[in-house]
């Protein structure tokens, strides 16, 4: 069954990300589903902090994949063509079991993700409320 929680601020979403980091600290893939502004990148900031990463995670704009230590942050928002996504060779990232891969817009490449990927859905339920289901 999916568990969901409503966060009421950026800080709370980041805190949830910090807790999530424990589940992937030895490696794993997390898929983040949700519209623009739902808080995906904010959650990644918390995950990074929970992993002890000091660099600030930013929205990748034109860069699709960013690496922060053992954390790979992938944002497929701008890629609408499945072939372009396949060309990235993302599978290589989770072939190394120690890698932590967090993906925004995973729905751009349905079926590409490993079976054991953790799926998280973020929904805007108010100006500063986000429902996060795991
Ligand atoms: P996404 O990556 O899903 O597009 P971002 O994390 O970049 O979303 O942005 C989330 C936006 O929502 C930010 O502008 C942030 O200020 C705002 N926001 C408001 N409430 C929350 C909350 N509870 N959690 C996360 N972000 C929130
Ligand atoms: Mg984002």
């Amino acid at each position: 069954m999916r568990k969901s929680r409503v966060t009421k601020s950026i800080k709370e979403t980041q805190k949830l990300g910090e807790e999530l980091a424990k589940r992937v600290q030895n490696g794993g893939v997390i898929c983040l589903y949700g519209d623009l502004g739902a808080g995906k990148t904010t959650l990644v900031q918390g995950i990074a902090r929970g992993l002890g990463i000091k660099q600030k995670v930013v929205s990748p704009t034109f860069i699709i994949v960013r690496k922060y230590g053992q954390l790979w942050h992938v944002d497929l928002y701008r890629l609408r063509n499945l072939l372009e996504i396949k060309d990235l060779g993302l599978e290589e990232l989770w072939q190394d079991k120690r890698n932590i891969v967090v993906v925004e817009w995973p729905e751009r490449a349905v079926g590409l993700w490993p079976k054991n990927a953790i799926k998280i859905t973020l929904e805007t339920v108010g100006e500063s409320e986000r429902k996060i289901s795991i």
Side-chain angles (χ1 to χ4, degrees), residues 7 9-10 13 35-42 104 127-128 130:
T7 64
S9 66
I10 289 181
T13 298
D35 290 335
L36 271 184
K40 300 180 294 300
T41 301
T42 305
E104 297 188 40
E127 199 181 319
S128 53
R130 300 291 184 271

Side-chain angles (χ1 to χ4, degrees), residues 51-68:
L51 293 170
I53 291 163
K54 299 279 185 278
Q55 289 153 282
K56 169 96 172 147
V57 171
V58 293
S59 270
T61 46
F62 291 105
I63 298 164
I64 311 296
V65 182
R66 273 183 201 260
K67 183 179 190 289
Y68 304 88

